[in-house]
Amino acid sequence: MAWTREQMATRAAREIEDGFYVNLGIGIPTLVANYIPEGIDVRLHSENGMLGMGPFPFEGEEDPDLINAGKQTITELPETSFFSSADSFGMVRGGHIDLSILGAMQVAENGDLANWMIPGKIVKGMGGAMDLVAGVKRVVVLMEHEAKGEPKLLKECTLPLTGKGVASLVITDLAVFRIDKQSGPSLALIELASGVTLEEVRSKTHANFSVSLN
């Protein structure tokens, strides 16, 4: 049985360490804010100029003026700070963000990431994705394993790239993969979702990967 989006977010939250500054991309990654482990001191960063985001508000408690970069309503904390988007991107480009958890349309076995454009569809632009994959110390991808029955983990991306060789960990609803850029690079399956078999993952993955399950 595949992980739900909430279970995927919970697994991704385990990658956050105490004291980290973390940027959460739009889509499934935004759910991670609700599953940060207790005892972990983390500052969530948003490109539109906010540091120290809280979890999503309960229904009826939303403040329409308080949003993240994906225009979702969020909450603030006592230590939250606000600033211009220029300062926010300065933090990213200066290498001050420890971890970015992003969604993706495709990921290649060497860590190439495509998450901003599908040819033929109108988009406003890449947004902050290019800066995030280039300036953040570590990139974790959180995505569903397939889109309309087609694998999203590929030998090579066919969509326009956001960044080359930038992803270090991929968490899907079926499994977790590590990308080791020092030995190849190579893609390794390190964890299966509960009830998911290795055969199922192989049948739904176009990328080559080794198996390193504990």
Side-chain angles (χ1 to χ4, degrees):
M1 182 177 179
W3 279 329
T4 64
R5 291 188 169 200
E6 288 72 21
Q7 289 172 318
M8 293 166 63
T10 300
R11 175 59 184 85
R14 287 166 45 191
E15 299 300 313
I16 298 174
E17 298 180 20
D18 192 49
F20 265 21
Y21 290 84
V22 179
N23 183 284
L24 302 178
I26 62 174
I28 303 175
T30 59
L31 298 175
V32 174
N34 290 340
Y35 298 98
I36 296 172
E38 291 187 14
I40 296 294
D41 181 28
V42 60
R43 297 290 183 273
L44 297 180
H45 168 273
S46 182
E47 302 100 289
N48 60 328
M50 188 174 179
L51 186 65
M53 291 185 292
F56 285 120
F58 291 107
E59 186 174 353
E61 298 180 0
E62 302 92 342
D63 180 350
D65 292 324
L66 194 59
I67 59 173
N68 60 19
K71 298 183 180 179
Q72 296 170 304
T73 53
I74 51 177
T75 60
E76 59 182 337
L77 303 170
E79 65 269 23
T80 298
S81 56
F82 301 92
F83 34 82
S84 73
S85 60
D87 290 330
S88 186
F89 276 97
M91 294 177 191
V92 174
R93 294 166 182 166
H96 302 293
I97 306 301
D98 298 287
L99 175 68
S100 185
I101 302 177
L102 301 174
M105 298 169 185
Q106 293 179 343
V107 178
E109 60 188 47
N110 67 347
D112 289 354
L113 171 65
N115 79 341
W116 73 282
M117 178 184 178
I118 297 177
K121 291 193 174 183
I122 297 176
V123 293
K124 294 181 179 179
M126 190 178 290
M130 178 178 66
D131 296 276
L132 288 169
V133 299
V136 173
K137 297 173 185 175
R138 183 169 180 250
V139 174
V140 170
V141 175
L142 186 57
M143 68 177 189
E144 292 174 335
H145 206 89
E146 294 182 305
K148 298 181 179 179
E150 292 296 322
K152 297 172 67 173
L153 201 51
L154 309 171
K155 293 180 181 179
E156 294 183 2
C157 293
T158 59
L159 296 175
L161 294 183
T162 308
K164 293 181 66 66
V166 294
S168 59
L169 192 77
V170 180
I171 300 169
T172 78
D173 52 333
L174 300 182
V176 182
F177 297 85
R178 180 181 64 241
I179 300 173
D180 186 358
K181 302 179 181 64
Q182 296 182 344
S183 60
S186 63
L187 182 69
L189 172 66
I190 62 172
E191 188 177 339
L192 290 170
S194 178
V196 173
T197 65
L198 177 58
E199 290 70 25
E200 180 181 0
V201 173
R202 287 194 188 281
S203 70
K204 296 179 178 180
T205 306
H206 281 179
N208 297 309
F209 65 87
S210 61
V211 180
S212 183
L213 298 171
N214 294 328

